[in-house]
Amino acid sequence: DTAVSQTPKYLVTQMGNDKSIKCEQNLGHDTMYWYKQDSKKFLKIMFSYNNKELIINETVPNRFSPKSPDKAHLNLHINSLELGDSAVYFCASSGPRRTDTQYFGPGTRLTVL
Amino acid sequence: AQTVTQSQPEMSVQEAETVTLSCTYDTSESDYYLFWYKQPPSRQMILVIRQEAYKQQNATENRFSVNFQKAAKSFSLKISDSQLGDAAMYFCAYRSANNYGQNFVFGPGTRLSVLP
């Protein structure tokens, strides 16, 4: 069974469009994250959510908005897409204990034309 | 803020040989966790090994082991008997043990090639 899943795996869209990426985890974790991996493979955190509350926002443009309908889901909405948004976006989750490891989804490759 | 540095953008190793990937980090905290993640061409991020800072013993997982030097803030990964399937990007990561929900901080990665 897939622990952390994302849909879609690939997303190609035009500049200016609005798109969403969905993430679901079946691990019973309390905290979920969104990361952006750029073309140089640098992995940077965008958001983390704990029990449906945003606890970290790493100065990401407000065109990006995370939405968590419940503890198992954290979706990423992106408005007015720009060329620079092209990247691979990873969802991840971890448990509440300080010792808990982070588990990643397969990633979504977003291409903005 | 914590930072993680991986000074080797690319490394290569002959199949069956041993290779060591370096990682250093900067923190003022005494309690934290360190991780190595592997990202093969499939793009999936896979946990390789983890180390608790309060443990002096170096973590080991089969062919993977770490050399954790807390005073030097160094956390290198050694891969023994390298296999073709080890070819991937390797990321070193830091997680604070003090703040609930603290984000992970990742290094820039090292691309490892395994030569047949």
Side-chain angles (χ1 to χ4, degrees), chain A residues 21-84:
Chain A
I21 306 172
K22 295 185 177 181
C23 177
E24 177 181 2
Q25 55 94 4
N26 61 7
L27 298 167
H29 286 166
D30 292 321
T31 307
M32 296 182 72
Y33 310 80
W34 275 106
Y35 286 88
K36 179 181 179 180
Q37 187 175 42
D38 60 26
S39 58
K40 295 184 178 179
K41 301 295 185 183
F42 191 74
L43 202 63
K44 183 171 182 174
I45 190 165
M46 300 176 70
F47 303 103
S48 65
Y49 252 74
N50 174 266
N51 288 332
K52 299 167 67 171
E53 291 184 27
L54 178 67
I55 55 175
I56 299 174
N57 182 333
E58 293 290 321
T59 63
V60 172
N62 58 15
R63 297 183 295 103
F64 292 80
S65 56
K67 297 274 192 272
S68 182
D70 54 59
K71 196 172 77 168
H73 297 83
L74 182 65
N75 304 326
L76 182 65
H77 299 272
I78 315 170
N79 295 325
S80 303
L81 278 156
E82 301 178 355
L83 295 177

Side-chain angles (χ1 to χ4, degrees), chain B residues 62-81:
Chain B
N62 300 317
R63 297 182 295 107
F64 298 87
S65 62
V66 298
N67 183 5
F68 173 49
Q69 301 289 329
K70 191 173 184 179
K73 297 180 183 175
S74 171
F75 183 59
S76 60
L77 175 69
K78 186 171 82 171
I79 307 174
S80 304
D81 186 26

Side-chain angles (χ1 to χ4, degrees), chain A residues 50 98-102 107, chain B residues 37 39 43 50 95 97 100:
Chain A
N50 174 266
R98 297 178 301 177
T99 55
D100 283 340
T101 300
Q102 206 168 58
Chain B
Y37 280 87
Q39 186 180 38
R43 209 170 63 204
R50 54 176 282 163
R95 182 183 190 183
Y100 182 80

Side-chain angles (χ1 to χ4, degrees), chain A residues 9-10 35 37 41-43 45 50 55-56 88 90 96-102 104-107 109, chain B residues 31 33 35 37 39 42-45 47 50 89 91 95 97-98 100-104 106-108 111:
Chain A
K9 288 190 176 181
Y10 298 93
Y35 286 88
Q37 187 175 42
K41 301 295 185 183
F42 191 74
L43 202 63
I45 190 165
N50 174 266
I55 55 175
I56 299 174
V88 179
F90 285 96
R97 298 172 304 176
R98 297 178 301 177
T99 55
D100 283 340
T101 300
Q102 206 168 58
F104 284 80
R109 180 177 293 280
Chain B
D31 195 13
Y33 302 91
F35 305 83
Y37 280 87
Q39 186 180 38
S42 68
R43 209 170 63 204
Q44 179 73 50
M45 292 285 285
L47 176 68
R50 54 176 282 163
M89 284 287 290
F91 294 93
R95 182 183 190 183
N98 295 326
Y100 182 80
Q102 174 67 47
N103 58 294
F104 286 64
F106 282 83
R111 183 179 299 279

